[in-house]
Amino acid sequence: MQLQLISFVLIILHCMDYTGCQQHSSSRHRQHKQISGVSSGCQQGGCLTCSDYNGCLSCKPRFFMHLERIGMKQIGVCMTSCPLGFYGTRSPERNTCTKCRSECDSCFNKNFCTRCRAGFYLHLGKCQESCPEGLVRSDTQRECVPKCPAECESCVNSDTCMRCRPGLYQLSGGCHHVCPEDYEPNDKLMECTPQVHCEVGEWSEWSPCSRSGRTCGFKRGQETRTRQVLQYPSPFGQPCPEISEIKECLVKRRKCPEPGERGTERRERRNRNNRKDKENQEGRRERKRERERERDTGEREDSDNRNKTEHRHRRGHDTEPVSPDAGLVQ
């Protein structure tokens, strides 16, 4: 009887201790939810069903169930996307967050890592401790990168350099000590750039034969012609050919007028032109006067003819015969 009583008391004490422990764990869970932003109760957040002790039990559509570990216990949390180190899997029953492989820092699925943990290097979605042949480890990227040629500082692969070592010139993914034919070094860009050759236009016509700027007073002179530069060359391009030519010429010698004679000739020429202008003006005035005289003469003749006609009419009227009966008195 006493043994049964002691057992009953121990059971009661055990239950009281379990209840207190449960309440303490629930309070700690609520505190954790407040800190981490997890909603309290199923009316908020992405939870569809939940419990105070275990958190979310199921999630609303499009949400992922993620189990957060707190000490020895796991709390269910519904999230729109899985945290770093997990990947999401969808199924008709539920969407869950699944942990990536141990060597992956982040992943797309269980077989494809996107970033490796320290000490591992990514190659084709796998995190491995060593890289395949032809690739080297990059601690900054945590990836297997191409092994660049000796003359490259960085490269896309073993055949394509992105930047050459100092003193070398880049061209089409390669590094050169001396640029190939038809290219020249550009020390500013440290690249091989295409050479630019000179281009010129067509020749002009030959100038008149002259000597010391004069076109008279000599028998032998020179003629010149020129052409324009259409494209100037680059430093290592083909230089421009001659853009002017001179050839000897022969002309019939003629005496150049003296400076005074030239002035006299100009004055005489000007006087002749003035006289011609004056004669032309006088001729125009004379022709105008003749036209006016002819017009006046024609008008006078027309007036005389009209007067004569009127006179004849009046004289014919005065000489008409008188009727015999005109003098009879009734």
Side-chain angles (χ1 to χ4, degrees):
M1 183 69 178
Q2 290 179 353
L3 182 63
Q4 290 179 347
L5 182 61
I6 292 171
S7 299
F8 179 75
V9 171
L10 289 175
I11 291 172
I12 293 175
L13 291 174
H14 177 73
C15 290
M16 291 176 63
D17 181 70
Y18 175 77
T19 303
C21 182
Q22 184 180 21
Q23 291 176 352
H24 175 72
S25 176
S26 177
S27 175
R28 187 174 62 176
H29 169 54
R30 285 195 297 271
Q31 182 180 6
H32 165 73
K33 289 196 292 184
Q34 292 175 356
I35 295 174
S36 61
V38 179
S39 61
S40 59
C42 294
Q43 302 301 321
Q44 299 179 6
C47 289
L48 187 62
T49 59
C50 61
S51 70
D52 291 338
Y53 187 75
N54 294 319
C56 295
L57 301 178
S58 63
C59 298
K60 294 179 180 179
R62 298 188 301 276
F63 282 80
F64 292 93
M65 170 66 73
H66 175 58
L67 297 178
E68 290 186 354
R69 181 174 294 278
I70 303 176
M72 299 298 294
K73 186 174 64 173
Q74 288 184 333
I75 301 297
V77 180
C78 294
M79 312 178 74
T80 56
S81 61
C82 295
L84 190 67
F86 293 80
Y87 64 93
T89 56
R90 297 182 183 273
S91 66
E93 293 78 16
R94 63 188 304 180
N95 304 327
T96 58
C97 291
T98 306
K99 189 172 181 59
C100 298
R101 299 170 66 93
S102 59
E103 66 271 16
C104 291
D105 208 10
S106 61
C107 60
F108 181 73
N109 54 43
K110 67 177 181 178
N111 295 320
F112 196 96
C113 295
T114 56
R115 181 172 173 79
C116 299
R117 296 188 182 276
F120 292 85
Y121 304 93
L122 183 66
H123 177 63
L124 300 179
K126 305 289 184 181
C127 291
Q128 45 200 35
E129 294 181 297
S130 61
C131 293
E133 185 178 358
L135 300 178
V136 294
R137 295 176 297 183
S138 173
D139 293 325
T140 56
Q141 302 177 17
R142 298 182 187 177
E143 295 179 4
C144 294
V145 296
K147 183 178 181 180
C148 296
E151 62 271 14
C152 290
E153 277 196 351
S154 63
C155 59
V156 178
N157 50 49
S158 58
D159 298 325
T160 306
C161 291
M162 296 177 59
R163 185 172 63 253
C164 298
R165 295 191 182 278
L168 301 180
Y169 301 95
Q170 184 184 8
L171 174 63
S172 302
C175 297
H176 302 266
H177 291 276
V178 179
C179 291
E181 187 178 0
D182 294 331
Y183 290 86
E184 62 185 48
N186 186 320
D187 293 329
K188 184 177 181 181
L189 301 176
M190 293 307 294
E191 296 177 355
C192 293
T193 56
Q195 291 181 354
V196 179
H197 305 301
C198 181
E199 297 181 11
V200 295
E202 298 293 332
W203 286 108
S204 66
E205 297 293 333
W206 288 102
S207 67
C209 190
S210 63
R211 184 174 179 179
S212 302
R214 298 186 303 171
T215 58
C216 59
F218 61 89
K219 185 176 181 180
R220 294 181 179 274
Q222 292 179 335
E223 294 178 355
T224 60
R225 66 174 182 175
T226 59
R227 55 182 173 182
Q228 292 183 340
V229 176
L230 304 179
Q231 175 67 60
Y232 286 94
S234 59
F236 292 85
Q238 294 179 0
C240 292
E242 294 293 336
I243 58 174
S244 64
E245 285 186 350
I246 300 175
K247 69 175 182 179
E248 301 294 329
C249 57
L250 293 174
V251 294
K252 185 178 180 179
R253 184 189 296 272
R254 62 185 183 88
K255 184 180 179 181
C256 294
E258 298 295 332
E261 294 178 356
R262 292 174 184 164
T264 303
E265 289 180 357
R266 284 196 295 271
R267 285 194 296 273
E268 291 178 354
R269 190 181 306 110
R270 189 165 54 249
N271 293 334
R272 285 195 299 269
N273 293 334
N274 292 337
R275 285 195 297 271
K276 288 181 181 179
D277 292 341
K278 188 175 182 181
E279 290 174 358
N280 292 334
Q281 292 177 0
E282 291 178 354
R284 285 194 295 272
R285 285 196 292 269
E286 183 63 28
R287 286 192 294 274
K288 183 177 180 180
R289 286 194 293 268
E290 290 179 358
R291 287 195 297 272
E292 291 177 351
R293 286 196 297 269
E294 291 176 356
R295 186 172 59 252
D296 293 341
T297 302
E299 290 177 354
R300 284 197 299 271
E301 290 178 355
D302 293 340
S303 179
D304 292 342
N305 292 334
R306 285 196 298 273
N307 292 335
K308 289 179 181 180
T309 302
E310 292 176 357
H311 180 69
R312 283 197 299 270
H313 283 309
R314 284 197 300 271
R315 188 175 59 186
H317 179 72
D318 293 340
T319 57
E320 286 183 359
V322 179
S323 174
D325 296 333
L328 294 178
V329 178
Q330 296 292 334

